[in-house]
Every structure is written in C-alpha cells, then in structure tokens.
Amino acid sequence: MDDPLFFNPTLHSNLASSFASIHKACITTAPYTIATFLPPLDDTRLVNWWEDRLKEAADGRRKIIIQMAPNTTTGKPELAGYVMLLMPVTETGPFRGTVEKLLVSPEHRRKGIAKRVMMRLEEIAREEKRTLLLLDTETGSPAEVIYPKLGYIEVGKIPDYGISPLDGSLKAGTFFYKNLLSSDKKT
C-alpha cells in the first residue's frame, strides 16, 4: 500500500462521491459511526457536504489526508480512508487544530489505515504549526481505543453528546488531545 497522500484539489477533486460513499458506509455499517448525518441518508446531500469540505481544503482552511488502496475486487486504486485537520482562524490559539472524520471504508478496515493517515495528519499539523490537536469520538466506539494508542490523552466524557444512527439513542462523547511538542520530546 502506498503512503497516505495530502489531498490535492487539482488532482483529487473527482473523489467527492468516494468521500461521501465511505462516510455513508461508516454511518450505516456496524459499528454505526456517529458522523454528522442520520439515516435515511441522501447521497446528493452527502456529496454536497463533501464538496464544501474540499473547497475548504482548496482555500487552505482544512487539510485532508487520504489513503488509496487496491479495490478488493478489481485491484484498481480507490479511496480507502481519510482524516481531516481543521485549522480554525483564531489569534488566541493559532497553534490548535481539530482532527475530524477519521473514517475508513469497511472493506479496508484492519489494515492499519487509521494509524497511517493519523501519522501523516500529525506531520502536516507540525508543518502548519498546529501543535495541539483536539478530537472527539463516540464513547465505546472502536475509535475510542485507537486514539490512546496514538498518544492522545483522554480529557473526559460528555453524556448524551450525539445521536446514534443505529437507533436514535443518545450516546456519550469522549474528548482527547495531543500536544505534538510534548510527544516530540518523547521520541
């Protein structure tokens, strides 16, 4: 598998429907990720949402890291997973970044893609002088286990934080951070 790529609007803008497809699959396939939308999902709405994110990447407000992998049937390269770094404009926290939408296609899970794209995201965050990374995930989700393995520190949990796409129940959210300057000193 090739290294994760930094999303290039010129080369990758044709991937909007692939981003949306993975997003949809993660919401509708066990373990039913809480990720912005609830079923029933409208493909056009998802693609439009991703087109807006891709515009933010083209404007430099957001960085997207993608992992391509061979399709399990055809062997042709396809989008297998991704993660985004939101870089909010703030004078009081120009060093902060928010990790968003770490999603891996169900067909490509358990291949180390989440770790690979997160490592690349951290490289890009350093280049962008974003040294304090923040993120949240559903409490009890597989992602909650991944982040501490990558050096993220749990801050706490908020009950009833998000609506489950599986049954509409309220689920707790777990919040994490990672100080890249501190983790650089440990390596």
Side-chain angles (χ1 to χ4, degrees), residues 55-66:
K55 287 176 190 170
E56 291 171 353
D59 293 343
R61 294 176 283 161
R62 178 181 299 277
K63 303 295 180 182
I64 304 174
I65 293 74
I66 62 174

Side-chain angles (χ1 to χ4, degrees), residues 169-180:
S169 64
L170 291 175
K171 300 291 184 182
T174 304
F175 289 74
F176 294 90
Y177 78 94
K178 183 172 184 177
N179 185 326
L180 298 178

Side-chain angles (χ1 to χ4, degrees), residues 22-43:
I22 291 173
H23 196 160
K24 181 178 183 177
C26 290
I27 293 170
T28 60
T29 305
Y32 309 102
T33 304
I34 294 176
T36 308
F37 299 99
L38 290 171
L41 299 172
D42 177 279
D43 291 340

